[in-house]
Amino acid sequence: MSQNPQARRYRAHLSQFSTSILQTKNPWVVAFFAFSYPGFGHLLLHRYIAGFILIIWEMFINGKANVNLGILYTLTGNFGEAKEVMDERWLMLYVGIYMFGIWDSYRTTVDLNKQYILADREDASLRPNAMGAWDINFMDKRKPWVAVTWSALFPGLGHLYVHKVIAGFFIFAYTVAIMYFGHIPEGIQYTMLGKFSEVKKVVDMQWLLYLPSIYFFILYDAYNSTVDYNLLFEKEMKKFLRENYQKNKFIFPF
């Protein structure tokens, strides 16, 4: 939300449920997360609709093609079983959209980096809060390690801490579904009791293999989002103080 209707580009947009922000990112990092899990690269760029669609598609098509089981058997050297377990009819549909997610994440990052440079030079004013009937969102300084800690405790909580409500709730619900269908809480319970043979019987590896990518992503995204929002807060505060309290004849040091 902006206070200047004449501005052409803005660095950020505050809504009740989230803060979308332009910030320079390494295209290869974004592409890597899209490679690790389709949709994650788009979430890093605050492109939530595209990200959610790709994530849901990944869960559907991966389950039909048994890609995770194929990866597991390949890594353990059981190439024959990997070939048998994977469904080639669904696998052919998996490849194209998987590659698109990586390419589109990289391409969009390059374009948004250019948009950020233009928006930063324009330095349009921003409203530091957004209030509505459902929620209140405001720019503030937050601690990255707190976001990482909550994310490590359970995916989605770190995003709620930095007020990425939509993404946080989606990740939270998505992780709950994976843990439920994979019988992961039961596996954790048997592991704590030392019943490792029972763990192998009860845990569904097709679902379990989703978790490493999810955890790695949410830790990085929670930390990175907190840093970006802190930088946005500082820039908005500097602009406000400069325009309202700084003398017009002040000479900037070069």
Side-chain angles (χ1 to χ4, degrees):
M1 292 187 175
S2 173
Q3 297 173 339
N4 181 10
Q6 302 301 321
R8 188 178 183 188
R9 292 180 176 86
Y10 303 106
R11 284 189 297 258
H13 173 80
L14 271 73
S15 69
Q16 296 180 52
F17 307 108
S18 187
T19 302
S20 297
I21 180 175
L22 288 174
Q23 186 59 267
T24 53
K25 299 182 184 299
N26 188 327
W28 292 107
V29 173
V30 179
F32 168 77
F33 280 104
F35 168 80
S36 67
Y37 205 108
F40 283 174
H42 289 76
L43 293 189
L44 285 175
L45 301 174
H46 303 273
R47 297 187 60 197
Y48 296 119
I49 297 299
F52 294 159
I53 291 173
L54 287 173
I55 290 172
I56 293 173
W57 169 257
E58 162 68 14
M59 182 173 67
F60 170 77
I61 197 70
N62 193 313
K64 290 293 185 180
N66 293 320
V67 174
N68 281 351
L69 288 179
I71 293 173
L72 175 65
Y73 288 135
T74 300
L75 292 175
T76 55
N78 299 318
F79 302 108
E81 294 186 27
K83 186 176 180 180
E84 291 179 5
V85 77
M86 297 183 71
D87 192 326
E88 295 179 356
R89 296 175 302 171
W90 290 102
L91 186 62
M92 295 298 293
L93 299 176
Y94 181 87
V95 176
I97 297 179
Y98 181 79
M99 296 302 295
F100 169 80
I102 300 172
W103 171 82
D104 192 52
S105 296
Y106 182 94
R107 175 196 64 85
T108 305
T109 306
V110 173
D111 290 341
L112 290 181
N113 285 346
K114 298 175 183 177
Q115 292 291 320
Y116 168 78
I117 294 173
L118 296 172
D120 193 55
R121 289 177 179 175
E122 189 169 350
D123 198 22
S125 299
L126 294 169
R127 186 190 299 177
N129 57 47
M131 299 180 65
W134 290 93
D135 208 345
I136 300 174
N137 186 14
F138 56 92
M139 285 190 281
D140 193 14
K141 294 276 285 188
R142 296 180 173 90
K143 298 179 180 179
W145 67 267
V146 174
V148 171
T149 301
W150 282 113
S151 294
L153 183 63
F154 201 95
L157 298 183
H159 289 70
L160 295 181
Y161 167 70
V162 297
H163 208 90
K164 297 180 71 171
V165 177
I166 298 174
F169 179 76
F170 178 86
I171 293 171
F172 182 88
Y174 192 69
T175 305
V176 168
I178 289 173
M179 297 186 74
Y180 175 80
F181 289 111
H183 303 281
I184 296 171
E186 299 168 58
I188 294 174
Q189 181 181 9
Y190 285 131
T191 300
M192 296 176 67
L193 295 175
K195 300 179 180 179
F196 302 109
S197 59
E198 295 294 326
V199 176
K200 295 176 65 176
K201 294 179 183 179
V202 74
V203 172
D204 189 330
M205 296 302 295
Q206 171 65 28
W207 290 94
L208 178 63
L209 289 182
Y210 288 120
L211 282 185
S213 296
I214 292 176
Y215 259 97
F216 186 53
F217 167 76
I218 58 100
L219 293 176
Y220 175 83
D221 189 44
Y223 181 91
N224 189 66
S225 295
T226 309
V227 172
D228 287 347
Y229 291 162
N230 287 346
L231 292 174
L232 179 67
F233 171 81
E234 291 175 0
K235 287 192 173 184
E236 192 279 332
M237 181 61 69
K238 288 177 182 178
K239 181 177 177 62
F240 175 78
L241 295 175
R242 187 169 60 246
E243 291 179 346
N244 292 274
Y245 294 97
Q246 184 170 282
K247 295 182 179 180
N248 295 330
K249 296 181 179 180
F250 179 82
I251 300 176
F252 283 91
F254 292 99

